[in-house]
Amino acid sequence: MDELHRLTISQAHQLLKEGKISSVELTKASLRRLAEVEDKVHACVTINEDAALEQAEEADKAISGGKIEPLTGIPALIKDIMCTKGMRTTCSSKMLENFTPPYDATVIDKLKARKTVILGKTNMDEFAMGSSTENSAFFPTENPWDLDRVPGGSSGGSAVAVATDEAVYTLGSDTGGSIRQPAGFCNVVGLKPTYGRVSRFGLVAFASSLDQIGPITKDVTDCALVMRTIAGHDQRDSTSIPYPVPDYTKALIPDLKDLRLGIPQEYFDGIQEEVKANLQTAIKRLEELGAEIDWEVSLPHTKYALAAYYILAPSEASANLARYDGVKYGFSYQHADNMWEAMEKTKQFGFGAEVKRRIMLGTYALSAGYYDAYYLKAQKVRTLIRQEFDQAFEKYDALVTPTSPTAAFKLGEKVDDPLQMYLSDVCTLPVNIAGIPAISIPAGFANGLPTGMQVIGKPFGEETVLHIAFAYEQATDWHKRKPPI
Ligand code: GLN
């Protein structure tokens, strides 16, 4: 079995349980795969072989003692925005290049309690601001389907690591699309949970009212397994919600009888023809599986979502990033004559261009003379968008849209044009604004590049979303296609 790295969580779990493979063998297979492809794709910021092998040995001991859960002994990689005790957490920023957190994020606690193996941390756009992973202060990540193209972002490293089998699964974070868009660009599964479903404790804050952690996996079953583990209330995150966590695998039913799906027309404006065609074919497949489709849904406020997001997210970011002043932790400019100069230079040299752009946009939108015109107005639009989704969910169990307007674009193509870059999230960010769950799953190819389908659910509707995604996945084999690397 020299193809161990190709296994999904559910397959590896079965073999571990039967004693046919060990976690050490599985971990070594992932590390070999990392050594083989990492030079080409640059998905990781930190790889910790020794710690990973130790954790694998621990997992094997637990398993031989009869203690095994679905994630026990499975090698994972984590987006470098989640705090890992004793392991550097950089947010792909110079500001945190040498920051090692003294504690674990809640999601990491949960994974460690199940003895998952943490191989290391994945590359991302600096502080999760971007859609291509080109804003990493260290290096860009390449798309394994075409090394001249971006993997999407900001969780580009996490999506690439799953697509190339460097890890069996990864965690990403999603503020406006950062799990789903790279999942779509790389032909893997990515879920953004309902706001409050997964604890944000230990997730470095970008825009606190929009950020959520979620799984990136090889298939929908694995997505359900990871969700089961990471979801749930956490006293250390006051926005996490004390609802019981269902067994998401029970939702994985292969037909769609009695489900009503809406197709919002606004999500097809300005979409690449091939992406549109793939989605239409995919929706017909959902219909064949028993779903009732309404092709004519309208959500007219969608057109304001992008503008509202680019007020709200930078505003929150400008407040959250004020903490990086060079005093308590992170990069600190040491050659200043006084405190003010030290703070100024710390930010000048510690942050990259996009992060500075967001801080400027945010402080402007929040400033005394402009608050009402920008921030307050964006909040009102947010309410309208949320209400529009609520009304749609009175009639439909879920909404289906493309994940992104195009397939993966070329490296360098949009770096000098922030607006074009921002537009690659038009289909995903309304979901964050409304705080609802959505998944992206593989749904076809355009000129050799994968394209994703997004399924949007009502608040805490993860089960419905997973159900639809599972049924589609069973009926197709897009997710089985692997990049030529
Ligand atoms: N691309 C969007 C942005 O730059 C979303 C990023 C994210 O979800 N973290 O803000």
Side-chain angles (χ1 to χ4, degrees):
M1 272 194 258
D2 50 344
E3 294 280 276
L4 286 185
H5 57 275
R6 295 214 176 272
L7 297 174
T8 61
I9 297 174
S10 57
Q11 292 166 339
H13 172 69
Q14 196 56 35
L15 294 171
L16 285 166
K17 206 162 77 181
E18 292 166 0
K20 293 206 171 118
I21 59 169
S22 69
S23 173
V24 169
E25 285 172 293
L26 200 57
T27 303
K28 283 188 175 157
S30 289
L31 291 171
R32 267 200 305 276
R33 183 64 180 159
L34 267 161
E36 192 177 29
V37 298
E38 189 51 19
D39 271 3
K40 301 187 186 92
V41 293
H42 306 99
C44 297
V45 172
T46 302
I47 300 167
N48 200 339
E49 294 202 9
D50 295 343
L53 287 168
E54 258 169 53
Q55 292 168 38
E57 277 167 25
E58 287 295 312
D60 282 331
K61 265 187 229 152
I63 296 170
S64 52
K67 278 207 196 111
I68 181 164
E69 289 187 55
L71 301 187
T72 308
I74 310 284
L77 281 160
I78 309 293
K79 185 179 184 182
D80 208 15
I81 193 169
M82 290 164 232
C83 287
T84 42
K85 187 175 176 177
M87 190 190 281
R88 188 166 84 115
T89 298
T90 69
C91 288
S92 291
S93 177
K94 286 215 174 74
M95 195 58 95
L96 294 176
E97 190 166 5
N98 299 307
F99 171 63
T100 301
Y103 63 92
D104 278 321
T106 295
V107 289
I108 302 296
D109 269 349
K110 290 185 179 225
L111 297 186
K112 285 187 177 170
R114 271 78 179 183
K115 296 209 182 318
T116 224
V117 174
I118 296 176
L119 301 167
K121 308 293 284 288
T122 57
N123 197 25
M124 54 186 277
D125 286 298
E126 183 176 11
F127 285 101
M129 297 172 191
S131 309
S132 67
T133 315
E134 291 165 294
N135 294 337
S136 165
F138 307 140
F139 42 79
T141 296
E142 288 86 359
N143 188 316
W145 291 93
D146 175 350
L147 297 174
D148 291 331
R149 290 180 187 266
V150 304
S154 64
S155 312
S158 286
V160 169
V162 174
T164 58
D165 300 303
E166 287 184 335
V168 182
Y169 74 97
T170 61
L171 294 185
S173 70
D174 191 313
T175 304
S178 278
I179 289 176
R180 291 159 286 156
Q181 184 251 22
F185 279 13
C186 294
N187 206 45
V188 294
V189 174
L191 174 74
K192 185 208 84 82
T194 307
Y195 185 77
R197 181 73 286 192
V198 177
S199 170
R200 289 182 298 111
F201 178 78
L203 170 69
V204 178
F206 162 12
S208 308
S209 78
L210 301 160
D211 301 339
Q212 271 290 292
I213 293 170
I216 299 182
T217 57
K218 296 179 191 179
D219 66 18
V220 176
T221 305
D222 282 7
C223 184
L225 292 171
V226 179
M227 266 309 284
R228 177 97 212 253
T229 304
I230 63 173
H233 180 237
D234 178 11
Q235 287 192 330
R236 296 180 296 182
D237 171 5
S238 60
T239 62
S240 77
I241 296 183
Y243 284 175
V245 179
D247 178 355
Y248 293 109
T249 56
K250 294 227 167 77
L252 307 180
I253 305 163
D255 73 67
L256 298 176
K257 271 194 239 72
D258 303 325
L259 281 182
R260 282 164 313 168
L261 307 181
I263 315 301
Q265 286 319 296
E266 289 77 5
Y267 285 77
F268 289 80
D269 290 345
I271 302 294
Q272 192 189 321
E273 281 312 317
E274 292 88 343
V275 174
K276 222 186 265 183
N278 284 352
L279 204 76
Q280 271 148 358
T281 312
I283 296 167
K284 285 190 195 122
R285 186 47 76 87
L286 297 174
E287 197 166 28
E288 287 157 21
L289 289 163
E292 190 187 309
I293 310 283
D294 183 345
W295 292 87
E296 299 290 328
V297 179
S298 176
L299 301 174
H301 287 97
T302 304
K303 59 175 174 294
Y304 304 115
L306 187 84
Y309 175 88
Y310 277 98
I311 297 291
L312 297 170
S315 295
E316 294 187 30
S318 70
N320 277 326
L321 271 57
R323 71 190 67 169
Y324 303 104
D325 55 10
V327 178
K328 295 188 213 66
Y329 53 85
F331 171 73
S332 180
Y333 183 76
Q334 294 296 324
H335 311 288
D337 292 333
N338 58 56
M339 183 188 79
W340 299 114
E341 192 196 346
M343 274 195 201
E344 207 178 287
K345 292 268 163 64
T346 292
K347 288 169 196 270
Q348 183 182 336
F349 298 122
F351 289 138
E354 183 61 30
V355 174
K356 287 178 192 160
R357 182 179 294 122
R358 303 289 176 109
I359 293 173
M360 286 190 280
L361 286 170
T363 43
Y364 184 80
L366 290 173
S367 59
Y370 295 101
Y371 181 93
D372 287 1
Y374 293 113
Y375 185 75
L376 190 66
K377 195 151 195 185
Q379 287 288 28
K380 290 180 179 166
V381 172
R382 183 174 196 170
T383 303
L384 293 173
I385 290 172
R386 171 84 196 226
Q387 285 170 347
E388 200 166 80
F389 275 118
D390 285 346
Q391 280 159 13
F393 289 124
E394 283 168 17
K395 281 174 79 179
Y396 309 105
D397 296 291
L399 303 168
V400 179
T401 77
T403 303
S404 309
T406 64
F409 44 91
K410 285 251 161 73
L411 281 154
E413 188 179 324
K414 300 190 179 183
V415 275
D416 298 323
D417 190 345
L419 189 60
Q420 280 306 315
M421 191 68 95
Y422 296 173
L423 274 166
S424 63
D425 295 305
V426 300
C427 302
T428 47
L429 52 82
V431 168
N432 301 70
I433 289 181
I436 52 185
I439 199 168
S440 175
I441 51 169
F445 283 78
N447 310 316
L449 298 169
T451 64
M453 167 163 75
Q454 175 173 241
V455 182
I456 307 174
K458 56 183 85 161
F460 295 91
E462 279 82 359
E463 287 162 287
T464 309
V465 161
L466 287 163
H467 171 187
I468 297 162
F470 178 78
Y472 180 76
E473 187 183 82
Q474 292 301 298
T476 54
D477 54 12
W478 304 119
H479 67 290
K480 292 192 183 134
R481 295 209 193 169
K482 289 284 183 179
I485 184 168

